[in-house]
Amino acid sequence: MNTLFFTLQDFMVHTKGITYLIMGGILVALPLFWWFLTDRDDENSF
Amino acid sequence: MTDNGTHTDRKWWTPFNVIVGIILAAGAILTVMRFTQGIGAVTNLDNNNAWGLWIGFDLLCGVALAAGGYVTSAACYIFGLKRFHSAVRPAILTAFLGYALVVLALHYDVGRPWRLPYPIFVSQGTSSLLFEVGLCVFLYLTVLFIEFTPAAFEWLGLKKIRALVVKLTLILTIFGVVLSTLHQSSLGALFMIAPSKLHPLWYSGYLPVYFFISSMFAGMSMVIFESTLAHRYLSRHMDDTHHREAPGVALGFAKAAAFVMAGYLGIKLIGIAIDDHWRLLTTGWGMWYLVEVIGFVAFPALLFAMGVRERNLIFVRWAAAWTVLGIVLNRLNISVIAFNYHLPSHERYVPSLMEIGTSVFIVTLGIVIYRFITTRMPVLHEHPDYSAHSPEQKSI
């Protein structure tokens, strides 16, 4: 994680790349969390 | 509800009244000291630390925790979730008192209270975020006041003017949401002016987004927390509707809060990634940051989720209280603890006992006024003339 960057281009490519991977993870994780939150709604209606 | 808000037999020398009386008396002395001897007499503020506990706790936490007003009224009147209706008035009252006390606390920090209208009416600093915050708080406090007046008009028996104000409910709610979006985020944006002072883990280009999103679950948690306290200490002033709807309100807000907190965690992660601050997480400050994010956001989010799944109100109420603490910790981290983190320890700001005492005084004042209003006006119960069974339709 302690990468040396020599240009702004390098820095942006690196950080944006990681960010896009995280966003992909969030896109998967949030619906799963929503499913975890709501999958008992039919039995617990409120 | 047993007495419909009226009092017949009252004891003055209760432990609550004695403690409150002592705090209010001490607060009055501190107030006199502050306004006669200057800010230096009661605070540890200096040129390095111009903002202290009164801004970090009274203002930033006060505004965030008062977000229950816009969240609840938006849920009920904009999203049409009428099952939250019984929570609207207590939430609006809490928000109104929260903002009113924010303005009161600001006087202690700024001084010269007679100059309060200047930034709005005399000398507008339109390029300043503080001007936007001030304008929004001024307008939103007015909106909250008008939104709450139907309860006061019902109490006073002013039916015509109450009917007029009730017609404004939707437009006031929309106005409240817009104003809250603006100033909740702007409070975060205020700290973007100090990139060299705020620790990089808390400093981010997304600070306004963090502040706005965290205000949503802060507001929802505060509604649950306040409802818990009201059920414990003001239960006799509640009617059957309030008692019946309370678990649904708590579970509904818990579900929403858990999901918003999950989203908040996601954007916090993105904030770290976009600034490439991963290595800072292994430092002492990083540990403290993880305590805040994992201990006071991820953990209560999971507790909320488990409470919702199991319909366990104890989980939900503990999660709400924990989240409220987390919001306080977050705002204090940004404004006090991680601010000026680079200064040597002897130059760091530690609030004086008198600053803490003044904050306790202001919070106590809020509790006393809340209790005064809820034991008299139809806040935790419906007024018999305007209840769902009465000929007149109750709107707020």
Side-chain angles (χ1 to χ4, degrees), chain B residues 29-100:
Chain B
I29 294 167
L30 290 170
T31 303
V32 172
M33 285 176 68
R34 159 66 187 96
F35 288 102
T36 55
Q37 298 175 36
I39 199 166
V42 287
T43 71
N44 283 344
L45 297 172
D46 55 28
N47 286 339
N48 281 323
N49 303 286
W51 287 353
L53 187 71
W54 292 343
I55 296 295
F57 178 75
D58 299 12
L59 196 145
L60 294 183
C61 298
V63 168
L65 297 174
Y70 87 86
V71 171
T72 312
S73 53
C76 185
Y77 299 121
I78 296 178
F79 297 107
L81 303 169
K82 296 296 180 192
R83 65 178 185 274
F84 294 129
H85 189 265
S86 62
V88 171
R89 273 194 185 174
I92 295 283
L93 175 61
T94 309
F96 172 67
L97 290 177
Y99 276 90

Side-chain angles (χ1 to χ4, degrees), chain A residues 1-3 5 11 13-23 26, chain B residues 199-201 210 265-287 289-290 293-294:
Chain A
M1 293 294 178
N2 206 1
T3 320
F5 299 106
F11 179 78
V13 167
H14 177 80
T15 54
K16 288 259 180 184
I18 302 269
T19 303
Y20 275 107
L21 288 175
I22 291 171
M23 285 170 72
I26 291 171
Chain B
H199 190 278
L201 280 171
Y210 294 158
L265 281 172
I267 59 163
K268 288 291 263 188
L269 202 59
I270 289 174
I272 298 283
I274 207 81
D275 291 329
D276 197 36
H277 284 152
W278 300 105
R279 66 189 166 79
L280 295 176
L281 291 175
T282 55
T283 62
W285 282 109
M287 294 296 123
Y289 179 83
L290 291 175
V293 173
I294 295 174

Side-chain angles (χ1 to χ4, degrees), chain B residues 84 102 206 242 313:
Chain B
F84 294 129
V102 160
Y206 297 127
H242 211 96
L313 285 172

Side-chain angles (χ1 to χ4, degrees), chain B residues 99-129:
Chain B
Y99 276 90
L101 294 172
V102 160
V103 175
L104 177 69
L106 198 60
H107 283 311
Y108 284 78
D109 200 75
V110 177
R112 296 199 285 181
W114 57 92
R115 299 288 292 252
L116 183 71
Y118 269 54
I120 312 293
F121 297 109
V122 180
S123 175
Q124 299 88 352
T126 49
S127 60
S128 168
L129 279 166

Side-chain angles (χ1 to χ4, degrees), chain A residues 34-46, chain B residues 255 308-311:
Chain A
W34 180 249
W35 175 75
F36 176 75
L37 266 177
T38 57
D39 73 322
R40 290 190 185 170
D41 274 7
D42 292 337
E43 35 189 305
N44 303 332
S45 57
F46 53 82
Chain B
K255 186 197 281 184
V308 171
R309 276 175 67 86
E310 307 294 333
R311 284 183 72 81

